[in-house]
């Protein structure tokens, strides 16, 4: 044990003698680990949030496709879908996007004569009643962007060019930003007038299927009965979001490809051989009686100390960056393009597995690049090593 401790002490003293080189290696190494860990932590946390959010979504959403585009679906389609065995209920949904020039943001306008059960308990104030013409409930992000409170008004330009004035009756709580940040809920008739949508048309149809194993069968029967309909299941939406976050995390890694390339070149340079000073050190150690195993242990401790220090620094910094600072560096690309970003606290998910992945991608290559050339020099005659 004393011999191992002495070799470790000698390895640390060797690194301290090369302060500038060790510092540059540590900075590049730590930044590479920080980048990889942050992207993996952020994308995995967003996937988990999306999965929790979509637990409340309908089993099946039916849209109408016209010329390859999503179009308005007739509400009469619901009567046909209700006749399919396994379908519990069908209800239309009314929603669309509205661009607000003052804030340069897109709002989600939703028509509902009764507040959806998923967000009914999240309203501060009250929901508009049947006698409240042009009343609405807005999300916390909309209220902050427009400096609105209950009783204020929102001017909206409709699809027919007319100007409509909505009165704020309530505001969704800040804790529900993930669901309602850019949402504006109003009566269905008011929604139709703003978007100039005819009677008997909806955005899509929510289809409830009690038995989850029958969702695919019901979707196939809907397509057979209604050729222009496009059923979308909850599982398909989740897979789409997973693919989207994977793609965006890949884009982020590509954006930092320069740093990764620099690290790869550095590792390849170390694997190609030792420097003249390192070869001379190995030759001197062999000349004074060091064995091959001792030299390999020395180089192992040098690489291990550098790699573990940089690995822990990068992972801890990534954890703080993602779960305490909100991932400010990567949030705009991984969250989306909207101006009204919802503020929510990410929670760690499968972090141990991700740490193991980062460890294999960063520590293992560096250790191999350190030990392999040292072994080549250690098995060579000391005189030849120093002459080379």
């Amino acid at each position: 044990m004393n011999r191992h401790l002495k070799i470790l002490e000698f390895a640390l003293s060797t690194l301290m003698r090369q302060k500038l080189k060790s510092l540059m290696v540590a900075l590049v190494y730590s930044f590479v680990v920080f980048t990889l860990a942050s992207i993996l932590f952020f994308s995995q946390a967003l996937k988990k949030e999306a999965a929790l959010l979509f637990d409340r979504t309908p089993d099946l959403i039916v849209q109408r496709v016209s010329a390859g585009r999503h179009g308005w679906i007739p509400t009469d389609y619901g009567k046909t879908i209700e006749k399919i065995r396994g379908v519990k209920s069908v209800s239309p949904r009314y929603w669309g996007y509205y661009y607000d020039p003052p804030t340069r943001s897109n709002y989600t306008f939703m028509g509902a004569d009764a507040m959806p059960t998923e967000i009914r308990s999240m309203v501060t104030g009250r929901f508009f009643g049947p006698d409240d013409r042009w009343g609405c409930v807005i999300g916390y992000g909309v209220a902050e962007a427009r400096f609105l409170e209950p009783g204020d008004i929102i001017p909206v330009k409709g699809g027919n060019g007319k100007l409509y004035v909505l009165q704020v009756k309530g505001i969704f709580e800040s804790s529900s930003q993930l669901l309602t940040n850019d949402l504006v809920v109003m009566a269905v008739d008011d929604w139709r007038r703003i978007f100039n949508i005819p009677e008997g048309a909806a955005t899509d149809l929510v289809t409830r299927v009690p038995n989850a194993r029958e969702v695919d069968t019901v979707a196939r029967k809907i397509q057979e009965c209604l050729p222009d309909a496009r059923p979308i299941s909850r599982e398909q939406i989740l897979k789409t979001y997973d693919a989207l976050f994977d793609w965006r995390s890949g884009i982020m890694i590509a954006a930092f490809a320069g740093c990764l390339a620099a690290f790869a070149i550095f590792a390849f340079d170390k694997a190609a051989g030792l420097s003249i000073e390192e070869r001379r050190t190995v030759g001197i150690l062999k000349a004074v009686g060091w064995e091959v195993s001792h030299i390999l242990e020395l180089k192992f401790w040098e690489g291990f100390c550098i790699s573990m220090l940089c690995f822990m620094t990068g992972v801890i910094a990534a954890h703080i960056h993602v779960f305490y600072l909100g991932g400010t560096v990567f949030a705009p690309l991984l969250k989306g393009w909207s101006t009204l970003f919802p503020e929510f606290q990410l929670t760690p998910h499968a972090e141990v597995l991700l740490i193991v992945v980062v460890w294999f991608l960063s520590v293992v290559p560096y250790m191999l690049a350190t030990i392999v050339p040292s072994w080549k020099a250690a098995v060579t005659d000391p005189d030849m090593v120093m002459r080379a």
Side-chain angles (χ1 to χ4, degrees), residues 49-60:
E49 294 294 334
L52 294 175
L53 177 63
F54 284 114
D55 280 342
R56 307 181 183 182
T57 57
D59 308 297
L60 202 61

Side-chain angles (χ1 to χ4, degrees), residues 16 35 75 110 125 159 166 229 347 378:
M16 293 302 296
T35 302
T75 54
M110 179 178 177
L166 300 176
T347 56

Side-chain angles (χ1 to χ4, degrees), residues 12 37-38 59 63-64 97 141 161 183 198 213 226 300 311 329 349 361 378 383:
L12 293 176
S38 294
D59 308 297
Q63 299 177 345
R64 180 173 177 268
Y97 296 115
L183 186 62
R213 293 178 294 181
L226 304 169
F300 168 80
F311 173 76
V329 177
H349 178 68
L361 292 177
D383 182 63

